[in-house]
Every structure is written in structure tokens, then in C-alpha cells.
Amino acid sequence: MKVLIAIILGLSVFTGVGSSFAQAEPPGFTNAVNISQVSADSELPHVIVSGDGVFAVWTQSSLGRSDVFFAKSTDGGNTFGIPVNLSGDTNGQSSYPQFVENNNHIYVTWQSSLSGVSTISMTQSLDGGASFAKPVRGMVNMDSKLC
């Protein structure tokens, strides 16, 4: 039975019936967009596509420190707004950002290392990334500090 299914799937792909992994013109972006808008090192990007836009977070490093940035596109990723520094560290390292979006609420976490001690920081936006709460470090009693 498994062999028969594999043969049918194989024939469907080769004859053009059904989905094919080989396409005449590969899909993709036609014009690269510089989301970070700086010449510093930008790394560890994460992107989420939602009904409200395209959201991106990344780590940006310069002069021995790193920060977590956020930018949003409302035109399908053709252009992005001015990047927002979420971590705002004046010294130390902020990296490894992760984020989720649900019903126009955005939650961002990252690792902060200040004076050799690493903690997890978090911020949230309740307006689709137009503004963010002050970051909370250490993730202690998050609900009372973010709301």
C-alpha cells in the first residue's frame, strides 16, 4: 500500500498533476530591503507575517555592545518603519530575540547580559508595534509590571 501511494505521488509530481517541488521560476523577493537601516552588524533576525503587517526583530551590534530592535511593515514587506531599540541598554549585551504576535499584541523576549549576569528581558506592545512598554528584566511577576 505504501509503495502504491509513493508511486502515485511521484507520478503526480513528474506529470504536473498536483503540487510540484520543481518550479520554472523560483518564488522569492525581487528587491532586498534593508530593515535595520544602519551599517552596524545586524544578526539573529526573526520575522512574523500577520494580518496587520510584517514584523521583524533582530540583534544589532556596534562598538562592543548589542541591542534588540523591532521594525514593522504595513505594505507587505516592501518598506519598513524606523527601527525601534527595544532593549535600550546603555552598556552590556542584549541578544537572541524571540517574539510572538496575537490580535495586534506583540510580546518580545531576549537575553540581557549586564556586568556578566544574564537575565531574560521582555516587553510588549498592545497597539501592533506603534509603542512598547518599558522592558522588564528578570521576568518576575510580568503581568503586574507590563500591564
Side-chain angles (χ1 to χ4, degrees), residues 53-86:
V54 180
F55 306 96
V57 295
W58 67 93
T59 299
Q60 191 164 295
S61 302
S62 179
L63 302 173
R65 54 180 285 240
S66 61
D67 289 296
V68 171
F69 280 79
F70 168 87
K72 178 182 178 179
S73 172
T74 58
D75 62 6
N78 291 313
T79 62
F80 281 80
I82 297 171
V84 176
N85 185 338
L86 298 179

Side-chain angles (χ1 to χ4, degrees), residues 70 84 86 98-100 102 104-110 121-136 142-147:
F70 168 87
V84 176
L86 298 179
Q98 300 289 320
F99 73 128
V100 295
N102 185 33
N104 222 24
H105 294 183
I106 302 167
Y107 301 90
V108 185
T109 61
W110 64 89
S121 296
M122 180 177 176
T123 187
Q124 72 175 357
S125 172
L126 301 177
D127 55 13
S131 64
F132 282 87
K134 181 180 177 183
V136 176
M142 293 301 294
D143 291 333
S144 64
K145 293 184 180 183
L146 285 175
C147 299

Side-chain angles (χ1 to χ4, degrees), residues 5-135:
I5 292 173
I7 291 171
I8 292 172
L9 287 175
L11 289 174
S12 295
V13 169
F14 287 122
T15 60
V17 178
S19 298
S20 173
F21 294 107
Q23 300 177 0
E25 294 182 31
F29 294 104
T30 55
N31 298 313
V33 177
N34 182 351
I35 298 172
S36 63
Q37 301 178 6
V38 297
S39 60
D41 291 333
S42 299
E43 54 194 9
L44 304 171
H46 294 275
V47 176
I48 293 175
V49 177
S50 175
D52 295 332
V54 180
F55 306 96
V57 295
W58 67 93
T59 299
Q60 191 164 295
S61 302
S62 179
L63 302 173
R65 54 180 285 240
S66 61
D67 289 296
V68 171
F69 280 79
F70 168 87
K72 178 182 178 179
S73 172
T74 58
D75 62 6
N78 291 313
T79 62
F80 281 80
I82 297 171
V84 176
N85 185 338
L86 298 179
S87 55
D89 290 334
T90 56
N91 55 27
Q93 307 292 323
S94 293
S95 57
Y96 306 108
Q98 300 289 320
F99 73 128
V100 295
E101 185 273 342
N102 185 33
N103 293 327
N104 222 24
H105 294 183
I106 302 167
Y107 301 90
V108 185
T109 61
W110 64 89
Q111 177 182 317
S112 292
S113 298
L114 301 171
S115 303
V117 176
S118 294
T119 61
I120 302 298
S121 296
M122 180 177 176
T123 187
Q124 72 175 357
S125 172
L126 301 177
D127 55 13
S131 64
F132 282 87
K134 181 180 177 183

